[in-house]
Amino acid sequence: KVLCATGVVAGIITFFWKDDFNPESLSGARVLVTGASAGIGEQIAYHYARFGAEMVLTARREAVLQKVMEKCLTLGAKKVFYIPADMSSPSEPEKVVQFAVQKLGGLDYLVLNHIGTNRFQEWTGDVEYTRWLMQVNFLSYVALATAALPTLEKNRGALVVVSSLTGRMPTPFTTSYSATKFALDGFFSSLRHELIMQKRDVSVTLCILGLIDTDSALEYTRGKVHISASPAPEAALAIVRGGAARAHEIFYPRWLQQLCRLWALFPSSGNHVLRTFYNYSSP
Ligand code: NDP
């Protein structure tokens, strides 16, 4: 009964909860978005554009970045530049931040969103793939944030880190991916403590997302999960709002927050139920 009542109260608070989002604060804001050529990152770029931000977009594919840049300009972005970069190369993060600072004269937001190809399959023992994914999904985030911290600190800026439910609650078929997302939580939540203790005014927003209907996610989960995907534009807006409100964490869809709390209370039965959402046929 107590649990049920807690759930109802939490649901009501969530329903009526308003964040401190002020859309005008994003007009003229200087933003660097990674993984901006497709999926959620592309939608993040369009939201910032509608709010009148100045942006640098990055990903690997130049032709696609060019198209996203053109659309951002039609949507209302004040300035847009792009820089193609492969985040599996350790020298790229610093180059990208330098480019953004030079083009925009500083940064107010760094949105870390890109990921390397996710296999969504059982563990096959490919240690090299895990090493590569750690570089793309985790170490490049650390390097980008480190290079951007001085300019973010000067501008009372914000670090926005896109993570996943599987970075809070391990799920099947995501061994390496889940490891990179847990690493992000550990690093950036620890960094947040230090920034607060040092009174350095840079916020850190960790974004915990459920399944989102991007082409890549629908492709790699097809036939493997019984979970419906939420819309990428809404996920992107939740991320942009959370960063602007300087929230420590955002969950999208919002009910994921209650799910994580329930799972922490009842991990064993939670894991049992979780496995029923995944298709597994033994060899
Ligand atoms: P997509 O696969 O749709 O997009 C990935 C982006 O990263 C693309 O812009 C891609 O562009 C870029 N990218 C890929 N490899 C590299 C690389 N080596 N170097 C630099 N950029 C690269 O991903 P989603 O939009 O689905 O996911 C975005 C974020 O949301 C990720 O952090 C993901 O973990 C998180 N998330 C997504 C969920 C989902 O269901 N979609 C669920 C939970 C979290 P290009 O190919 O041009 O390099």
Side-chain angles (χ1 to χ4, degrees):
K1 273 187 185 164
V2 171
L3 259 177
C4 201
T6 312
V8 170
V9 171
I12 292 169
I13 291 171
T14 305
F15 185 78
F16 287 105
W17 179 68
K18 298 258 186 297
D19 59 32
D20 296 328
F21 175 60
N22 171 14
E24 279 160 27
S25 69
L26 292 177
S27 175
R30 295 160 299 177
V31 188
L32 169 56
V33 184
T34 74
S37 64
I40 298 165
E42 179 184 353
Q43 298 301 323
I44 290 173
Y46 296 152
H47 285 303
Y48 279 119
R50 289 184 194 101
F51 291 124
E54 302 180 2
M55 273 181 284
V56 167
L57 312 174
T58 187
R60 289 167 307 173
R61 290 168 298 159
E62 182 163 5
V64 193
L65 283 172
Q66 164 97 32
K67 284 199 180 127
V68 176
M69 179 188 80
E70 282 159 14
K71 184 160 173 193
C72 284
L73 287 168
T74 65
L75 288 173
K78 297 223 165 67
K79 288 182 193 166
V80 191
F81 304 90
Y82 66 81
I83 173 167
D86 185 339
M87 290 298 160
S88 65
S89 157
S91 59
E92 293 298 271
E94 203 177 334
K95 257 197 247 165
V96 168
V97 171
Q98 274 173 6
F99 174 87
V101 169
Q102 188 220 327
K103 290 291 181 193
L104 304 177
L107 278 177
D108 302 297
Y109 290 89
L110 170 61
V111 184
L112 299 170
N113 161 79
H114 63 276
I115 43 166
T117 309
N118 189 358
R119 290 182 175 165
F120 207 78
Q121 62 184 29
E122 288 154 53
W123 174 242
T124 58
D126 190 346
V127 178
E128 202 37 58
Y129 167 71
T130 308
R131 210 186 309 280
W132 173 83
L133 203 65
M134 268 291 177
Q135 175 63 44
V136 179
N137 289 12
F138 172 62
L139 292 171
S140 72
Y141 278 45
V142 173
L144 282 155
T146 304
L149 263 177
T151 178
L152 291 175
E153 193 176 350
K154 225 190 219 167
N155 302 310
R156 207 183 153 262
L159 266 169
V160 181
V161 180
V162 181
S163 188
S164 160
L165 181 64
T166 194
R168 269 293 155 86
M169 210 169 106
T171 53
F173 310 140
T174 55
T175 43
S176 307
Y177 174 75
S178 175
T180 66
K181 294 298 190 185
F182 266 83
L184 287 178
D185 197 341
F187 183 89
F188 284 98
S189 300
S190 175
L191 181 67
R192 186 194 297 113
H193 275 305
E194 292 181 20
L195 291 168
I196 292 169
M197 289 158 81
Q198 296 161 358
K199 300 193 177 11
R200 294 165 73 192
D201 204 356
V202 179
S203 61
V204 179
T205 302
L206 193 73
C207 308
I208 314 289
L209 308 183
L211 184 62
I212 309 298
D213 67 358
T214 59
D215 291 346
S216 62
L218 293 182
E219 173 69 31
Y220 62 68
T221 58
R222 185 167 299 125
K224 293 183 178 168
V225 291
H226 312 286
I227 301 169
S228 55
S230 305
E234 265 189 32
L237 186 57
I239 292 166
V240 171
R241 291 176 69 111
R246 304 176 84 75
H248 286 188
E249 292 184 341
I250 66 112
F251 290 79
Y252 179 84
R254 279 192 178 178
W255 54 264
L256 287 186
Q257 188 165 20
Q258 320 319 335
L259 185 75
C260 288
R261 286 182 181 145
L262 268 178
W263 179 76
L265 284 174
F266 307 105
S268 177
S269 29
N271 283 333
H272 182 76
V273 174
L274 182 92
R275 284 191 288 271
T276 65
F277 287 91
Y278 292 76
N279 276 340
Y280 175 72
S281 44
S282 47

